[in-house]
């Protein structure tokens, strides 16, 4: 995507506060001195078999980019590609029911959408949110000394690949499905309360790809403690069984010469670092002085926030794994 976009002419509209040249989570357009629109879109083929849960996951995933900017979602448009010759319409009904439920949970409203005939089922959402122009939490403002937190466990790509290969238990399928359907809303509210200088969400580029975008955009190096990473159950075993989704290979190639490891890194843990996530957690930078109150607030509100790293002055590579 970034490659295709870089050939487009740059837009020089002063109201475009964050455009596609920034590799941020969503675009931001200023309407007035105290109001800006935050816009994003995402859609994909089914990641789980249950259409109702697929709808929930796709909506939670799309809304996540709004939360990663520190914004409030307002409206949503459904995007559907549907093979109506191969599938009953009731499946589409279930997908939209799941999506609408999550959009409602986010406090936003579905204002419409568009569907086309497609050989392969696809669903997603375009979301518009609002934010005060001075309150934007970009992914390019992390400062040396900041602590790095992650709010969901890693391994959704490995597990969903395992599900497709029928080697994952129903119990684990339920755990990963519920995590992916979980909104990043509460975690975002807490990071806003504690003045997070920078944040992004972990999705298709995997932990390292999104950490890299923050490090490169902020002109810092991010150190990640591999032993502190929160993992979904059985993911290292699934990595050992090579349940590696296609996107992981591209993620690894992209990161070549952009990261290094200090010490010994288990091969399966390394695979996990590149695992593309669906509806992953927020990756949040918090100033050292606010980190205790941030952690306490998360605990009080039952939000998991794992301390997984720290921000350093720019080193020879943007990402260091220890
Ligand atoms: Co994002
Ligand atoms: Co996105």
């Amino acid at each position: 995507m970034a490659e295709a976009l870089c050939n487009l002419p740059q837009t020089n509209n002063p109201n475009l506060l964050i455009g596609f040249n920034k590799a941020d989570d969503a675009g931001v357009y200023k309407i007035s001195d105290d109001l800006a629109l935050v816009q994003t879109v995402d859609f994909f083929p089914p990641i789980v078999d249950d259409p109702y849960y697929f709808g929930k996951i796709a909506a939670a995933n799309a809304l996540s980019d709004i939360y990663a900017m520190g914004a409030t979602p307002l409206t949503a448009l459904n995007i559907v590609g549907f093979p109506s010759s191969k599938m009953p319409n009731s499946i589409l009904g279930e997908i939209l029911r799941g999506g609408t439920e999550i959009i409602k949970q986010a406090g936003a409203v579905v204002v419409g959408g568009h569907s086309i005939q497609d050989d392969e089922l696809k669903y997603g959402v375009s979301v518009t949110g609002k934010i005060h122009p001075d309150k934007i939490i970009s992914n390019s403002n992390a400062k040396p000394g900041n602590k790095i937190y992650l709010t969901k466990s890693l391994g959704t790509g490995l597990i969903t690949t395992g599900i497709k290969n029928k080697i994952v238990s129903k119990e684990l399928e339920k755990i990963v499905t519920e995590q992916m359907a979980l909104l990043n809303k509460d975690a975002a509210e807490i990071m806003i309360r504690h003045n997070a200088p920078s944040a992004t969400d972990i999705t298709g580029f995997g932990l390292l790809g999104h950490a890299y975008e923050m490090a490169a955009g902020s002109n810092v190096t991010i150190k990640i403690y591999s032993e502190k990473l929160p993992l979904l159950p059985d993911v290292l075993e699934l990595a050992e069984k090579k349940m590696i989704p296609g996107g992981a290979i591209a993620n690894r190639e992209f990161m070549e010469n952009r990261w290094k490891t200090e010490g010994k890194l288990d091969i399966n843990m390394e695979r996990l670092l590149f695992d593309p996530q669906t509806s992953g957690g927020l990756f949040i930078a918090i100033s050292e002085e606010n980190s205790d109150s941030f952690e306490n607030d998360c605990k009080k509100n039952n939000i998991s926030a794992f301390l997984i790293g720290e921000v350093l002055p720019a080193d020879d590579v943007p990402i260091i794994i220890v």
Side-chain angles (χ1 to χ4, degrees):
M1 183 71 153
E3 239 165 74
L5 285 174
C6 72
N7 294 322
L8 286 177
Q10 298 286 322
T11 11
N12 259 330
N13 187 318
N15 292 324
L16 185 63
L17 303 181
I18 294 185
F20 57 76
N21 54 334
K22 296 268 182 74
D24 214 321
D25 294 296
V28 184
Y29 184 89
K30 187 169 100 174
I31 293 190
S32 66
D33 284 345
D34 53 11
L35 183 65
L37 287 182
V38 183
Q39 295 181 291
T40 186
V41 59
D42 209 346
F43 64 107
F44 43 76
I47 184 116
V48 292
D49 287 337
D50 184 320
Y52 168 69
Y53 269 100
F54 170 47
K56 282 186 151 194
I57 292 166
N61 182 77
L63 282 153
S64 180
D65 277 329
I66 299 286
Y67 291 128
M69 304 301 290
T72 306
L74 295 175
T75 60
L77 294 161
N78 288 314
I79 298 157
V80 177
F82 196 70
S84 54
S85 55
K86 291 189 249 174
M87 262 176 215
N89 274 331
S90 59
I91 290 187
L92 181 54
E94 280 297 283
I95 293 171
L96 294 173
R97 184 169 75 88
T100 305
E101 219 166 87
I102 290 293
I103 291 162
K104 199 173 156 198
Q105 218 180 82
V109 60
V110 178
V111 293
H114 186 66
S115 65
I116 57 161
Q117 281 290 335
D118 199 337
D119 288 339
E120 186 188 34
L121 175 60
K122 294 176 193 83
Y123 171 65
V125 187
S126 161
V127 191
T128 299
K130 66 166 180 178
I131 194 164
H132 191 292
D134 301 337
K135 298 274 162 79
I136 298 165
I137 303 178
S138 84
N139 67 350
S140 55
N141 196 37
K143 301 276 187 277
N146 288 170
K147 296 190 175 191
I148 297 287
Y149 292 88
L150 180 65
T151 66
K152 284 187 189 179
S153 299
L154 298 166
T156 68
L158 289 157
I159 297 176
T160 51
T161 307
I163 293 171
K164 280 175 198 139
N165 286 281
K166 302 194 191 314
I167 60 163
V168 165
S169 68
K170 283 285 159 210
E171 196 189 349
L172 179 53
E173 187 174 344
K174 189 164 178 261
I175 291 171
V176 72
T177 300
E178 262 158 25
Q179 178 178 288
M180 291 188 292
L182 180 73
L183 277 175
N184 283 328
K185 179 176 194 272
D186 296 347
E189 279 166 11
I190 297 174
M191 83 169 176
I192 293 165
R193 275 209 289 279
H194 299 274
N195 296 320
S198 193
T200 188
D201 60 336
I202 305 300
T203 51
F205 297 147
L207 178 73
L208 249 56
H210 291 283
Y212 165 78
E213 284 183 332
M214 181 182 286
S218 310
N219 198 22
V220 296
T221 284
I222 295 178
K223 182 190 266 191
I224 290 174
Y225 322 131
S226 59
E227 281 175 10
K228 298 275 182 68
L229 292 175
L231 309 182
L232 284 160
D234 301 345
V235 286
L236 294 176
E237 289 84 346
L238 290 163
E240 176 71 33
K241 289 179 184 157
K242 300 243 175 75
M243 291 294 119
I244 317 274
I249 295 156
N251 287 348
R252 182 186 287 269
E253 274 169 14
F254 175 80
M255 283 302 291
E256 212 180 306
N257 301 323
R258 290 175 162 151
W259 73 290
K260 69 177 180 188
T261 170
E262 283 176 356
K264 220 168 159 270
L265 186 63
D266 174 67
I267 174 76
N268 293 317
M269 184 56 98
E270 192 179 318
R271 286 171 177 150
L272 196 82
L273 299 174
F274 299 104
D275 188 45
Q277 304 298 287
T278 300
S279 192
L282 294 178
F283 181 94
I284 306 169
I286 295 281
S287 74
E288 198 170 6
E289 54 169 332
N290 288 348
S291 61
D292 284 344
S293 59
F294 171 79
E295 284 182 29
N296 290 336
D297 208 355
C298 287
K299 251 179 230 145
K300 208 174 72 197
N301 290 284
N302 248 326
I303 299 300
S304 19
F306 306 90
L307 175 63
I308 62 155
E310 64 188 294
V311 182
L312 307 173
D315 202 323
D316 55 343
V317 285
I319 301 293
I320 299 175
I321 307 292
V322 294

